[in-house]
Amino acid sequence: MIGGLLRKFTISPLRRNASWLMAAQAVSLMIQLAWAKIVASRLGPEGLGTYSYGLAITQTLGILTDFGLNTFLVREAARSRDREQWLLSNAMMLKIMATALVWAATGIIMGTTGAGQSTVTTVAFFCLANLCQTLAVVYVSLFRGEENMGYEAVSVVAFNLVNLALCLFALSAGLPVPAFAAMYAVSSA
């Protein structure tokens, strides 16, 4: 009787993990909305355009650093936890090589578009952020394979909080647009 009652109130791993991720996404969305309101009003159309352009290029090309590896890592980590070290080291090497190719493609795009110095510097900082995020996703994939979403949830909220705090600092110091990309890169690390 008591055992059945306790099982009724025990949270399943699926519910616990879903709750972690939903809560993290809700908090992150609120932080991102606050960031967008504050930064968009302060940077103005040209500054926000430069920031958005740099982010769009690096995030779009950043898709090429995955090529299905993250899904593979989740599956393999769930199947065999004793291979996680091997998976981690090989995935990191593949991600670093893919990121180098993405950086080369980004450099070609920047060289052929005639972008100004501010835009090029902004894109360079976003490239660094992309490397940090690409490597972090390897760990997230392994945690997903272990069915532990709490780490992912905490890291997503922490990234957004640190990014907001650093951008507020950049705003208060009157720093130029590339500094905001640098703050994004720092918060991604």
Side-chain angles (χ1 to χ4, degrees):
M1 168 102 177
I2 293 178
L5 194 58
L6 286 176
R7 274 192 300 266
K8 184 176 180 180
F9 292 107
T10 303
I11 298 175
S12 72
L14 177 64
R15 287 184 182 152
R16 182 181 60 245
N17 287 329
S19 298
W20 271 109
L21 291 177
M22 285 189 325
Q25 288 176 352
V27 170
S28 292
L29 182 61
M30 289 186 284
I31 294 168
Q32 290 169 1
L33 287 172
W35 179 94
K37 169 114 174 71
I38 294 167
V39 173
S41 65
R42 296 280 179 94
L43 286 181
E46 184 178 336
L48 187 60
T50 300
Y51 185 92
S52 298
Y53 176 76
L55 190 59
I57 284 180
T58 55
Q59 293 297 315
T60 302
L61 291 175
I63 293 170
L64 300 175
T65 62
D66 179 16
F67 51 86
L69 185 59
N70 298 334
T71 305
F72 173 78
L73 286 173
V74 172
R75 186 188 73 215
E76 292 303 311
R79 281 185 182 169
S80 177
R81 293 192 176 160
D82 58 330
R83 292 182 43 194
E84 284 185 352
Q85 187 61 40
W86 180 85
L87 289 169
L88 177 67
S89 61
N90 285 301
M92 289 290 194
M93 184 56 64
L94 287 170
K95 293 276 190 168
I96 290 170
M97 290 187 308
T99 300
L101 292 174
V102 166
W103 284 4
T106 305
I108 291 168
I109 291 170
M110 289 292 96
T112 58
T113 60
Q117 183 61 40
S118 176
T119 302
V120 171
T121 306
T122 300
V123 168
F125 281 123
F126 280 131
C127 282
L128 289 174
N130 184 267
L131 173 64
C132 295
Q133 291 170 349
T134 297
L135 296 178
V137 169
V138 171
Y139 287 103
V140 167
S141 297
L142 293 176
F143 287 134
R144 285 182 180 177
E146 294 175 356
E147 298 178 8
N148 189 345
M149 308 303 180
Y151 294 114
E152 179 180 358
V154 169
S155 70
V156 166
V157 172
F159 162 75
N160 283 298
L161 282 173
V162 170
N163 189 34
L164 177 64
L166 291 174
C167 283
L168 289 174
F169 165 75
L171 283 172
S172 67
L175 298 176
V177 175
F180 287 88
M183 300 302 167
Y184 185 87
V186 169
S187 61
S188 295

